[in-house]
Amino acid sequence: MTQALALIVDDEPDILELLDITLSRMNISSKPAQDLAEAKRLLKTHHFDICLTDLQLPDGNGLELVKHIQKNTPNLPIAVITAFGSMDTAVKALKLGAFDFVSKPVDLKSLKSLVSSAIKINDTTEPVDRRSRDQLLGDSVMMANVRAKIAKLARSQAPIYISGESGTGKELVAKLIHEKGPRSHQPFVPINCGAIPQELMESEFFGHKKGSFTGAIADKPGLFQTASGGTLFLDEVADLPLHMQVKLLRAIQEKSIRPIGSDTEQPIDVRILSATHKNLPELVEQGNFRQDLYYRINVIELPLPPLRERAEDITQLAKHILQKLNAENNSPTKLTDTALKALAQYTFPGNVRELENILERAFTLCENGIIHQTDLQLPNNTKDAAAQTSGIKNPTQKTSLPTQEAPLEDYLDSLEKEAITNALEKTRWNKTAAAKELGISFRALRYRLKKLGLND
């Protein structure tokens, strides 16, 4: 195997020597440059595997070198060495395409981890995990662009903010960014920020020491330690309370954490990906989300299109989902052409997740292994989505659409549960009569009772 070669750019001889010694212990040789001009000359005459550059140089700054490398040798990962407190400049470097950054005084453990990850980007000898490669389906131009962005973002360590409506596949995209990058063999740790009780949040994120509070009977690692070397995916990051936003901001900026009850900080090596279906800029304006944290997690934004804007992908997705259901249940169930056409014309306010739910329900309720259009029970429009999706005729109560804070799926379930309960009470809990009242089959009612937790 050919020895890797690094370009190190700094005008301080002591730093150059420290970097050279550190790299040589990793079996990486290096070429030094003390200014931009020398660095550009070396780039023309050598093939480098990584570049480390200081931001402040005699004839310019490291950002100029980042731009130069992105233009001329975009496959070369470049990391910038920043002065303490220069986070804004580090963020600029990441936006321009830098692989990562390391702050002075340089922590050698963090530096080695950074270099190892960067070297792996172009290491074709290491097997690539492709388990999720083809899960982001769709032949539309929009999805082709998303896949191209994923491939590019996987080469960076910049924090990525994945935006999009509920059900668009934000966690899947986060996992793909992880799996296609140099951290693919390390943990991918997803966490729903809205699902952790506030009083446990700090311990869950950063861990705690034994005896640090009542009930702390042993040392416990937090999510940052669990994801060490890998990726931490913060889903529904907008749900973090303000006090945790402050602590998360510090962890990202300093690349270190302090477990509850500890006197010392621990360096962390974690890539941060985050997502939410809420409007973060609006929450920032309202004072419910810190602006400085927003800029740190949103170094690069990856917006995901709703399913209604890529309707040409619906047929492919439907066939793929049904194929999975058939494989799981050893079934030959098929969709009729009219059912596929109906799906292609529906707007899917709940996106891909709603498509999955519709097909799972139709798969359960259809007869003779054939899913007809009527089995899909698609709503005619979003206003009567709950009643129509349930197959319930003439709902007696008009209800407004769900707000951004109320997920569509929960909204539909609540209306469906209310309609079924009303029908059962009207028929004195005679299920056969209730099914007739609702205009659905007894089998369909039994399925819904189980799904909604209304069984006796």
Side-chain angles (χ1 to χ4, degrees):
M1 182 178 175
T2 306
Q3 188 178 35
L5 180 62
L7 172 62
I8 49 178
V9 189
D10 202 301
D11 62 341
E12 296 183 38
D14 289 348
I15 298 292
L16 287 176
E17 184 179 4
L18 173 65
L19 294 176
D20 177 62
I21 292 172
T22 302
L23 292 170
S24 65
R25 289 174 178 170
M26 299 176 68
N27 196 31
I28 300 172
S29 58
S30 63
K31 294 285 183 182
Q34 294 192 339
D35 54 36
L36 276 176
E38 177 66 8
K40 291 177 181 179
R41 187 188 68 78
L42 288 170
L43 283 166
K44 289 180 180 179
T45 56
H46 294 78
H47 175 79
F48 292 101
D49 297 285
I50 184 174
C51 174
L52 299 171
T53 181
D54 191 19
L55 275 175
Q56 302 301 323
L57 298 169
D59 55 347
N61 64 52
L63 296 182
E64 293 178 51
L65 187 57
V66 173
K67 293 178 186 177
H68 177 82
I69 286 177
Q70 282 297 301
K71 181 180 178 181
N72 296 284
T73 53
N75 288 332
L76 173 61
I78 176 172
V80 296
I81 303 170
T82 68
F84 179 76
S86 300
M87 189 63 192
D88 288 340
T89 309
V91 169
K92 287 181 183 177
L94 292 172
K95 285 183 178 290
L96 289 172
F99 172 78
D100 205 347
F101 71 94
V102 60
S103 299
K104 291 181 179 178
V106 177
D107 179 82
L108 295 185
K109 184 178 179 181
S110 298
L111 177 65
K112 288 178 180 179
S113 177
L114 182 155
V115 171
S116 296
S117 294
I119 293 292
K120 288 177 184 176
I121 285 182
N122 296 318
D123 184 5
T124 56
T125 64
E126 195 162 322
V128 179
D129 187 351
R130 302 185 186 275
R131 286 171 295 176
S132 298
R133 183 183 182 92
D134 298 318
Q135 289 185 13
L136 195 65
L137 299 176
D139 295 328
S140 62
V141 173
M142 284 184 174
M143 292 314 292
N145 289 337
V146 169
R147 285 192 292 269
K149 288 179 181 177
I150 288 172
K152 186 173 183 179
L153 296 176
R155 296 179 56 83
S156 166
Q157 296 302 292
I160 307 297
Y161 169 53
I162 306 167
S163 61
E165 298 176 5
S166 291
T168 48
K170 294 186 286 293
E171 182 172 343
L172 172 59
V173 167
K175 192 171 184 182
L176 283 168
I177 292 173
H178 168 78
E179 290 183 349
K180 291 176 180 291
R183 296 176 178 266
S184 61
H185 297 286
Q186 300 301 323
F188 173 80
V189 180
I191 179 66
N192 187 320
C193 297
I196 306 175
Q198 287 197 23
E199 63 273 14
L200 300 178
M201 212 164 253
E202 187 174 354
S203 172
E204 287 295 312
F205 272 82
F206 308 124
H208 62 251
K209 306 297 287 184
K210 179 180 178 180
S212 55
F213 55 85
T214 304
I217 58 175
D219 289 356
K220 177 183 178 295
L223 293 166
F224 274 90
Q225 293 98 319
T226 302
S228 180
T231 303
L232 185 61
F233 174 52
L234 305 176
D235 198 8
E236 298 304 342
V237 69
D239 291 339
L240 282 175
L242 287 171
H243 79 278
M244 277 303 299
Q245 293 179 28
V246 175
K247 294 179 182 296
L248 177 61
L249 173 65
R250 191 176 189 284
I252 294 173
Q253 290 189 161
E254 306 300 330
K255 293 190 175 183
S256 64
I257 59 168
R258 178 176 292 180
I260 298 175
S262 175
D263 296 329
T264 58
E265 293 201 339
Q266 300 177 4
I268 53 169
D269 173 28
V270 172
R271 186 180 190 184
I272 300 291
L273 306 178
S274 58
T276 183
H277 72 281
K278 295 181 180 178
N279 189 325
L280 267 189
E282 191 174 284
L283 292 176
V284 170
E285 286 184 11
Q286 296 169 353
N288 295 321
F289 198 86
R290 291 182 61 98
Q291 186 178 55
D292 46 9
L293 177 59
Y294 172 67
Y295 288 131
R296 294 298 179 260
I297 64 172
N298 188 23
V299 172
I300 302 172
E301 181 175 356
L302 176 56
L304 299 186
L307 187 53
R308 62 184 172 275
E309 292 183 7
R310 54 182 187 107
E312 60 266 47
D313 293 334
I314 292 174
T315 297
Q316 181 185 5
L317 285 164
K319 289 180 177 179
H320 175 74
I321 293 166
L322 184 59
Q323 185 179 20
K324 283 177 60 180
L325 289 169
N326 279 332
E328 291 168 0
N329 296 276
N330 193 25
S331 166
T333 299
K334 297 179 180 179
L335 276 158
T336 64
D337 290 341
T338 54
L340 279 172
K341 185 177 179 180
L343 287 171
Q345 293 174 344
Y346 179 53
T347 56
F348 288 101
N351 295 294
V352 179
R353 187 181 298 131
E354 184 183 7
L355 173 60
E356 291 174 340
N357 290 343
I358 287 171
L359 287 174
E360 285 178 10
R361 180 178 61 235
F363 181 87
T364 303
L365 300 178
C366 73
E367 302 289 348
N368 303 318
I370 303 292
I371 297 177
H372 296 279
Q373 180 178 349
T374 52
D375 296 317
L376 299 173
Q377 301 176 17
L378 295 174
N380 292 329
N381 55 62
T382 53
K383 287 188 178 180
D384 61 357
Q388 296 283 353
T389 300
S390 306
I392 299 170
K393 298 177 180 178
N394 302 321
T396 57
Q397 193 173 13
K398 291 184 179 179
T399 311
S400 60
L401 284 173
T403 63
Q404 202 175 34
E405 286 73 24
L408 179 69
E409 193 175 336
D410 294 343
Y411 166 78
L412 299 181
D413 285 349
S414 65
L415 284 188
E416 187 174 351
K417 184 180 291 188
E418 182 180 354
I420 290 175
T421 302
N422 289 339
L424 287 168
E425 290 176 349
K426 184 176 180 181
T427 60
R428 297 183 180 181
W429 291 84
N430 183 317
K431 294 177 184 177
T432 302
K436 187 176 181 181
E437 174 74 20
L438 293 165
I440 60 177
S441 68
F442 177 77
R443 182 184 177 195
L445 175 60
R446 189 169 56 187
Y447 166 79
R448 284 173 172 75
L449 289 172
K450 182 178 179 182
K451 174 191 170 189
L452 297 170
L454 292 174
N455 285 331
D456 294 335

